[in-house]
Amino acid sequence: MKIIAGLMIPLLTGVSVFAATSDRKGCPGDSLFTRMPGTHITDCVSSDFDSQLFHCAPGKPAVREGRYMMTRYQADPGAAAATPVQIIRNHQSAAQDLGGRTIFEDKRYACIQLAKAGKEITAEIDTAFNRGYLVRIIEKAGMKQEIAGNTDIFLKSIKDTGHVAVYGILFDTGLAVLKPGSESVLAEITKLLQQDQGLNIHVVGHTDNVGTMANNMKLSQDRATAVVEALVSKHGIARTRLKAAGVGPLVPVSTNRNEAGRAKNRRVELVEQ
């Protein structure tokens, strides 16, 4: 449990230390956070798959798709209502302890991303309700890589264009630790470097444009470095043949206005030195 601005909020879903009153029947509470103290649930919606507009960047909201849940909380009669800042800070603190990060915040909204059980989760906290607030959550299963890669294709692309985009190198949202599912792609890159002993490459990390420029630049560099370290330590590639670089969202191959485009932009590229 954590105390933020004079309020207490448990960090995981469970029974609140403050008893809610008059919850709407059939509304269990959202799947990620416990409620603010002294509140009850007045409305909820859930759907196995839906398309919703989320406020996760300045300007117009963008579409997010996946399993959807909405829960509206209201202050109990006679209870002091939390301010928008208190509501946002408590949810940010809880999300941080779950490995999440805030990707957008203004006076009304906070948009939080995290990974849980192999799913990419986006949570929007909306504080523009009289004596209450709204939590909306989209859960999107991690993108499955159908084809890890092929050494001959990699080699041909590098010879023809000087670079090749590699998908299937997997990281949790906002992190630079390689997931076990990346191993088949790393094996293909290893085959490529073993097949052409004269080939030296830049390993270049790319992100979408969600979040700040500074965070994305650092994240892309850290992810490229993680790939280099794996190729050196686990696959026996000489470090002198590899250089890591991160360019963040600066070289997109698709639009960042929708999730399909952002997924294409989140990649690693091999560039001939």
Side-chain angles (χ1 to χ4, degrees), residues 39-168:
T39 62
H40 59 280
I41 300 171
T42 62
D43 197 13
C44 64
V45 174
S46 64
S47 167
D48 288 341
F49 188 85
D50 203 348
S51 178
Q52 293 282 332
L53 292 173
F54 271 56
H55 297 80
C56 292
K60 294 182 179 180
V63 172
R64 302 269 169 141
E65 294 184 344
R67 182 175 179 271
Y68 176 67
M69 177 179 290
M70 180 279 289
T71 307
R72 180 172 177 176
Y73 299 92
Q74 190 77 18
D76 294 336
T83 67
V85 172
Q86 288 173 319
I87 293 167
I88 287 174
R89 293 292 177 264
N90 272 275
H91 284 81
Q92 287 175 327
S93 177
Q96 185 176 5
D97 283 2
L98 293 172
R101 65 186 180 114
T102 301
I103 59 174
F104 175 71
E105 177 190 347
D106 62 14
K107 292 182 179 180
R108 173 175 175 175
Y109 297 104
C111 184
I112 296 165
Q113 274 193 343
L114 66 149
K116 181 181 179 183
K119 297 177 181 179
E120 180 182 293
I121 299 175
T122 302
E124 179 193 89
I125 315 302
D126 183 352
T127 65
F129 291 87
N130 184 33
R131 290 177 51 80
Y133 64 99
L134 198 72
V135 176
R136 299 196 305 139
I137 295 172
I138 282 279
E139 294 182 357
K140 182 174 73 69
M143 185 178 69
K144 294 182 179 179
Q145 183 67 22
E146 301 296 339
I147 301 175
N150 180 275
T151 303
D152 293 335
I153 294 174
F154 286 174
L155 187 58
K156 184 178 187 304
S157 181
I158 286 177
K159 286 183 176 179
D160 290 346
T161 67
H163 68 99
V164 61
V166 180
Y167 295 93

